[in-house]
Amino acid sequence: RLANKLLSPYLNLLTAYPDQPYGHAPVTALDFSIIPSDLKDEPNDKLNNVLGLVGKKVAAGERVIIYTAWVRLDTQSLLIDRLAQMGIKACILKQNVKAIKREDWVRKKLSDGMQVLITNPFLVQTGLDLNEFTTLIFYNLAFNLYVLRQASCRSWRINQTAPKIEVYLFYWKDTMQQRALRLMASKLAAATMIEGQL
């Protein structure tokens, strides 16, 4: 009974904690508690690697999408602050922009000089062509195969003229993020095999 109550919140904590090793509430059930340590001053290699990649792509004249599925973390605000320090113009597409207005919102931001779009992949999984962005980075995943597939194709549309689109998935090695990503990869392999894409 205790294990059943702890399992879901504990797995969520294990997945989110590497990206933000601070600010998490204890996971409790019955008389048992798991209290995560606060490690706010630890270096964030994942963040730094993402920023390094974005810097190279923007310097080469490309535009980048960064997908952040864990919106309860401070990833979006961290990214926007650090990109601003690098002199890169980034914007966050939030849920309060209605679905029917999102494509116009993106067009306006692009005309204002946006180089990096930060958003939850759920917000752009259908109905948007984002051909201006040729590098797509999944900073963290919600582990929904349908959303992953749809969001990773936002820039690979029938009218895309760029020679290639690159998709990157970042994770912390030897954590629940890596295990979950392996599971997603096996599901994706099975799905594409069923579709006849070997």
Side-chain angles (χ1 to χ4, degrees):
R1 185 173 160 210
L2 175 63
N4 288 338
K5 287 182 176 292
L6 282 173
L7 185 59
S8 180
Y10 186 52
L11 286 175
N12 282 332
L13 175 64
L14 288 176
T15 305
Y17 185 82
D19 287 344
Q20 182 183 305
Y22 51 84
H24 295 280
V27 175
T28 60
L30 304 176
D31 293 328
F32 187 81
S33 290
I34 299 167
I35 302 170
S37 300
D38 274 356
L39 304 172
K40 187 152 190 164
D41 296 327
E42 293 294 309
N44 189 332
D45 292 336
K46 183 177 181 182
L47 175 65
N48 292 332
N49 286 332
V50 167
L51 292 170
L53 175 61
V54 172
K56 287 178 187 173
K57 294 298 184 180
V58 168
E62 294 189 47
R63 291 191 182 94
V64 179
I65 297 175
I66 304 177
Y67 290 126
T68 57
W70 290 81
V71 292
R72 67 185 175 87
L73 304 184
D74 63 4
T75 307
Q76 290 188 341
S77 58
L78 265 178
L79 284 165
I80 205 94
D81 290 347
R82 291 285 298 274
L83 289 167
Q85 291 170 18
M86 295 167 65
I88 294 173
K89 184 161 187 178
C91 299
I92 301 173
L93 172 61
K94 296 189 176 179
Q95 192 169 0
N96 60 2
V97 178
K98 292 181 181 176
I100 198 166
K101 295 184 176 179
R102 286 175 191 158
E103 195 150 15
D104 288 339
W105 183 94
V106 171
R107 298 279 164 261
K108 182 178 185 311
K109 297 297 182 184
L110 284 169
S111 67
D112 292 341
M114 175 176 64
Q115 298 164 297
V116 177
L117 171 63
I118 302 167
T119 190
N120 187 321
F122 283 92
L123 300 183
V124 298
Q125 65 179 317
T126 55
L128 282 181
D129 289 347
L130 300 171
N131 285 340
E132 295 83 0
F133 301 90
T134 51
T135 297
L136 285 60
I137 297 171
F138 286 86
Y139 189 96
N140 46 46
L141 291 167
F143 305 115
N144 179 314
L145 186 60
Y146 176 78
V147 173
L148 171 67
R149 293 184 73 181
Q150 290 297 311
S152 65
C153 290
R154 288 307 89 205
S155 297
W156 191 245
R157 315 308 292 160
I158 221 162
N159 57 345
Q160 176 60 267
T161 57
K164 66 177 178 177
I165 304 299
E166 295 182 349
V167 179
Y168 295 84
L169 296 96
F170 280 79
Y171 62 91
W172 289 94
K173 186 179 177 184
D174 300 325
T175 69
M176 191 57 67
Q177 291 182 6
Q178 183 178 18
R179 293 180 70 179
L181 200 52
R182 277 188 182 144
L183 178 61
M184 293 271 283
S186 64
K187 285 183 176 181
L188 180 59
T192 53
M193 192 178 297
I194 288 168
E195 293 164 5
Q197 299 179 44
L198 304 178

